[in-house]
Amino acid sequence: MSAAYGVIGWPLGHTLSPVMQQAALDALGIDAVYTALPTPPAQAPRRFRDVRAGRLAGINVTIPHKRAAAAAVDDLAPAAARLGAVNTVSLDGGRLCGDNTDLYGFAEALRRGGFDARGARALVLGAGGAARAALHALADAGAAQVVIANRTPARARGLAADLAAGAAAAAAARDLADPALQRDAARADLLVNTTSVGMAGGPAPDGLPIPAAWMHARLLVYDIVYRPAMTPLLTAARDAGARTLGGLDMLVLQGAASLERWTGRRAPVDVMRRAARAALDAADTAAGG
């Protein structure tokens, strides 16, 4: 009987996880199926019970269940404990284990993109779970300073305080409308967008989270949005001579780390990336036709 894996979230129509995880399982010759499991909040405890009972061999967890997953498991991996959120659930010796591979996915994509964060100044847009993972990854990598900008300043201040309490990096919080943000962008070595601005089908698919005029050639601009592959922010950065990094590698690498937790096998990252890219291309073709 095939093992069963899946991703839980609500809603779940956008997920690429089944495509890339199934491609990886098939490439490894593992008899298993990976499916999307749309899960309203009231049904989340049932999914965790399914893993504990062995009906599911493991699950990925996305919005809005990551904090609930952290509370449901018996053991938290260090990354999950630091972030207060779980995106990967597995069973080990009868105990439900929770991990968070977002931090690894962000950091590894940045490393593969050729950016050394030691001593760097970073500007991070957004204050949600992805921003938290990015901030901790940058602190771990030795960033000298991070500025967190969000349209709800209180959330940015909360993240800055959290980071300052447990990391060496200096942290500051800004309102996205703060005039000082332009100065922060001018000084930055790295700009990270964790908001949905620029996402296909998002609230402002043709918009920019900050003005294009703030881009400069010393920047690496890292947009974790992966659809479209070249977001308006990345286009503006490229036009200004900056280096760019899209979000697909983070998505693939965090998924690869999840697969390795479940199977103990090295994930075929290139296979996963090709499968995800093909699915995005097919969706774009369908939307255009």
Side-chain angles (χ1 to χ4, degrees):
M1 182 177 178
S2 297
Y5 298 91
V7 54
I8 69 169
W10 188 257
L12 204 53
H14 65 283
T15 181
L16 288 176
S17 291
V19 170
M20 66 182 188
Q21 296 286 23
Q22 191 64 58
L25 291 165
D26 293 346
L28 292 172
I30 295 174
D31 182 17
V33 293
Y34 186 109
T35 57
L37 301 168
T39 303
Q43 294 181 15
R46 188 188 101 196
R47 302 298 191 193
F48 305 134
R49 290 195 298 270
D50 285 343
V51 179
R52 191 181 295 278
R55 291 185 290 271
L56 288 168
I59 53 174
N60 282 128
V61 181
T62 189
I63 295 171
H65 302 315
K66 291 185 178 183
R67 291 193 179 277
V73 300
D74 303 310
D75 300 311
L76 285 173
R82 288 175 66 192
L83 299 178
V86 160
N87 79 337
T88 305
V89 178
S90 57
L91 195 66
D92 185 6
R95 295 182 66 81
L96 212 56
C97 302
D99 202 349
N100 192 309
T101 63
D102 288 334
L103 193 154
Y104 166 80
F106 176 91
E108 183 63 9
L110 194 61
R111 185 190 70 80
R112 293 185 183 205
F115 185 84
D116 185 351
R118 287 176 295 180
R121 294 174 179 264
L123 172 57
V124 177
L125 308 178
R132 184 180 294 274
L135 292 166
H136 281 274
L138 290 170
D140 290 349
Q145 182 185 49
V146 291
V147 175
I148 308 146
N150 192 56
R151 62 186 177 185
T152 306
R155 295 190 67 186
R157 288 194 295 270
L159 279 186
D162 176 62
L163 192 67
R174 298 266 191 267
D175 188 321
L176 273 172
D178 189 334
L181 202 58
Q182 183 174 4
R183 180 197 63 202
D184 296 324
R187 293 176 175 176
D189 306 296
L190 173 68
L191 171 66
V192 182
N193 177 43
T194 71
T195 76
S196 61
V197 175
M199 180 185 296
D206 298 322
L208 288 163
I210 60 174
W214 294 6
M215 303 296 104
H216 56 80
R218 291 184 297 100
L219 271 176
L220 172 67
V221 178
Y222 185 177
D223 195 339
I224 71 164
V225 171
Y226 56 83
R227 185 182 180 198
M230 185 57 68
T231 63
L233 177 64
L234 294 181
T235 298
R238 181 190 60 191
D239 292 346
R243 291 182 292 154
T244 62
L245 181 63
L248 188 61
D249 274 359
M250 177 181 173
L251 175 76
V252 170
L253 289 164
Q254 63 80 26
S258 295
L259 185 78
E260 291 175 0
R261 301 288 189 279
W262 299 322
T263 68
R265 302 275 298 277
R266 187 181 181 90
V269 172
D270 289 344
V271 169
M272 298 175 76
R273 185 184 293 106
R274 286 195 298 271
R277 182 76 267 161
L280 286 175
D281 291 345
D284 289 345
T285 298

